[in-house]
Amino acid sequence: MASKSKRQRLKKESATSLVLLSLTVGILALLQNRYGQFSDIRGFYGMHFYDGQNLWPFSEKILAGDTKVQHPVEYPALTGLVMWLLSFLVSPSQTAIFDYYRITSAFQIVLLAVSAYLIFKLAGKKYGFYFILAPAVLYSLNRNWDIWAIAAMLLAIYLFEKKRFQLSAILLAVSIATKFFPIVLMLPIMIIFLRNKQIKLFIRYALTTAVAWIVINLPFVLINYEGWAYFYKFSAERGLGSASFFEITNIILPSITFSSIHFYILNVLALVLVTTYFLKLKSIPTLAATSFFVMFAFILFNKQYSMQYVIWLSALAVLTFSYLKREHKELLVYVYILWQSFELAFQYSFFQKILTSTYANTATPMTITVSNTAYGYVGVARYILAVIFALLLAKFFFAANAETAQSQENIKSRQQNN
């Protein structure tokens, strides 16, 4: 009994230390960019709430004292709701735009700690450290509101592993209504249920997710359908570019041009490849172990590559890490560090390139200039390392999965012999 009590105490202390470190590094990340430079959080406050009227963000508006019509926010329902509610915590002033950014960041630092705790529950303390100590994760934490959806997604995965399927489906719907990305998790969820011959459970899970998503979105649709639909219309019609695979390729190889058809072809191929991989796994995998692969395939050929995407990939990658053999973990951690380093370099070069262009031919000197070509080469290195990391992770997980299948077969054989 004492031994069990000691283990529980040590586990609680581990979780506490991880959460405290998460809060600490989150604050340091905020201090590194205390004015929210290049952050959508600051930018969207200026576009929608700067006049202090706190108007509904899914409606077109003209700020007081301005003549420009601001379009609705190009975010799903719950992100827009969060943006709007937090605007009431800020009093109109000369510094309101910075206050809003810092208040939002404070909430997001807490959500970083929540995400780290959920990773701890799913995989262990070490993997929580891998997540929160990744510089690229911290550098991009407050560029956007993605951490709200990531925390909900991780909770959905945790509940799924605990076989609390109905609650998991509701949390997945919350995450989808916040960012939409987690919709891709329905692929591994479907395969897990079908391989377990639980078709009815899958149908119930899918219906619960769909109904919960509709219930969440319905009030927004009724208040202002056009404003609610703006995100989906904007996403469908937006072009290729802004740090994407397509832009980086075009910078290095100008003779290669892309259109929307290439985007759809590459994404379908990536989806088919991931589906084939899941079906070839020897034993039935877990959602925690497989979510990274489908999210990576979805993000790799996205129309745009936003810097906060690394938070999604890192959170799910460390979950898969925990399923690998020890010798594979030791090798892959170095690749993980290298990938994270180039993610950070890619982000830095992206923003520095913007500043270089902004201050070109002006009296304001630039200490570090980044040309379009230099940014392109850093981008190539980032994409190559991300793909190498993903392929190695897939290879090593396949080996661990095969070993698990063999162990299960051996146990089954012994039971039959007895």
Side-chain angles (χ1 to χ4, degrees), residues 44-86:
F44 273 78
Y45 181 83
M47 291 171 61
H48 294 276
F49 310 117
Y50 197 62
D51 58 1
Q53 294 186 57
N54 307 104
L55 296 176
W56 186 238
F58 292 100
S59 299
E60 287 187 346
K61 65 179 70 66
I62 300 176
L63 297 178
D66 198 1
T67 58
K68 182 180 179 181
V69 178
Q70 300 291 349
H71 59 70
V73 293
E74 62 259 25
Y75 289 94
L78 293 183
T79 297
L81 181 63
V82 167
M83 294 163 63
W84 181 63
L85 291 175
L86 291 180

Side-chain angles (χ1 to χ4, degrees), residues 80-360:
L81 181 63
V82 167
M83 294 163 63
W84 181 63
L85 291 175
L86 291 180
S87 73
F88 288 93
L89 301 179
V90 179
S91 300
S93 69
Q94 296 252 332
T95 61
I97 197 166
F98 305 121
D99 296 336
Y100 179 78
Y101 167 74
R102 290 164 189 162
I103 289 171
T104 302
S105 297
F107 280 94
Q108 300 199 160
I109 289 168
V110 173
L111 288 172
L112 176 71
V114 170
S115 299
Y117 178 74
L118 289 168
I119 290 171
F120 165 79
K121 296 291 287 184
L122 283 161
K125 180 181 178 181
K126 177 169 64 173
Y127 304 99
F129 283 143
Y130 287 160
F131 174 63
I132 63 167
L133 294 179
V137 168
L138 298 175
Y139 192 63
S140 59
L141 176 62
N142 295 314
R143 303 282 177 202
N144 212 310
W145 295 266
D146 285 36
I147 192 66
W148 297 80
I150 291 167
M153 176 190 68
L154 289 171
L155 182 54
I157 293 172
Y158 173 75
L159 292 168
F160 189 92
E161 301 299 357
K162 294 296 180 182
K163 300 191 183 305
R164 298 175 65 182
F165 297 129
Q166 187 168 6
L167 197 52
S168 170
I170 293 170
L171 263 296
L172 186 61
V174 169
S175 186
I176 295 168
T178 308
K179 182 64 180 182
F180 201 72
F181 280 19
I183 187 70
V184 300
L185 267 61
M186 289 305 297
L187 174 62
I189 287 169
M190 178 184 69
I191 290 173
I192 289 167
F193 276 129
L194 294 184
R195 289 189 62 172
N196 276 313
K197 296 180 174 59
Q198 297 173 319
I199 298 174
K200 288 184 179 179
L201 264 180
F202 169 67
I203 294 173
R204 189 181 307 163
Y205 189 99
L207 285 175
T208 301
T209 303
V211 170
W213 184 85
I214 291 170
V215 169
I216 292 168
N217 281 272
L218 190 58
F220 297 84
V221 173
L222 295 176
I223 291 170
N224 187 324
Y225 171 77
E226 292 297 329
W228 170 82
Y230 183 80
F231 160 74
Y232 301 98
K233 183 179 178 182
F234 173 83
S235 299
E237 294 177 354
R238 77 188 306 183
L240 308 178
S242 187
S244 68
F245 163 84
F246 307 101
E247 182 193 58
I248 297 300
T249 303
N250 188 247
I251 289 172
I252 301 304
L253 300 169
S255 60
I256 297 179
T257 58
F258 295 99
S259 64
S260 295
I261 189 63
H262 298 107
F263 160 76
Y264 290 112
I265 290 172
L266 287 171
N267 275 277
V268 168
L269 288 175
L271 180 65
V272 169
L273 185 63
V274 170
T275 303
T276 303
Y277 175 79
F278 287 161
L279 293 174
K280 284 186 175 295
L281 291 170
K282 303 298 182 184
S283 66
I284 301 171
T286 66
L287 181 59
T290 51
S291 294
F292 168 81
F293 302 112
V294 68
M295 187 64 72
F296 180 82
F298 176 71
I299 284 176
L300 182 62
F301 298 118
N302 210 301
K303 288 181 178 180
Q304 314 281 319
Y305 183 83
S306 296
M307 300 306 151
Q308 66 275 5
Y309 290 179
V310 69
I311 310 176
W312 294 87
L313 297 179
S314 301
L316 296 176
V318 297
L319 295 182
T320 310
F321 249 107
S322 63
Y323 290 86
L324 306 184
K325 297 179 185 178
R326 182 175 178 179
E327 61 270 22
H328 291 159
K329 290 178 186 177
E330 292 173 352
L331 169 62
L332 200 59
V333 72
Y334 293 108
V335 184
Y336 177 78
I337 292 170
L338 193 59
W339 165 50
Q340 288 287 332
S341 299
F342 271 87
E343 283 281 356
L344 181 62
F346 183 48
Q347 291 186 35
Y348 179 79
S349 67
F350 176 80
F351 295 118
Q352 205 65 22
K353 176 179 75 77
I354 294 175
L355 291 175
T356 300
S357 300
T358 301
Y359 292 107

Side-chain angles (χ1 to χ4, degrees), residues 359-365:
Y359 292 107
N361 303 317
T362 69
T364 305

Side-chain angles (χ1 to χ4, degrees), residues 7-36:
R7 286 197 302 271
Q8 289 175 338
R9 180 172 56 82
L10 290 173
K11 191 172 182 179
K12 186 177 179 181
E13 289 175 356
S14 294
T16 302
S17 65
L18 178 63
V19 168
L20 290 175
L21 183 59
S22 301
L23 296 174
T24 301
V25 296
I27 292 169
L28 291 175
L30 173 58
L31 292 175
Q32 182 273 328
N33 188 14
R34 67 185 69 187
Y35 297 108

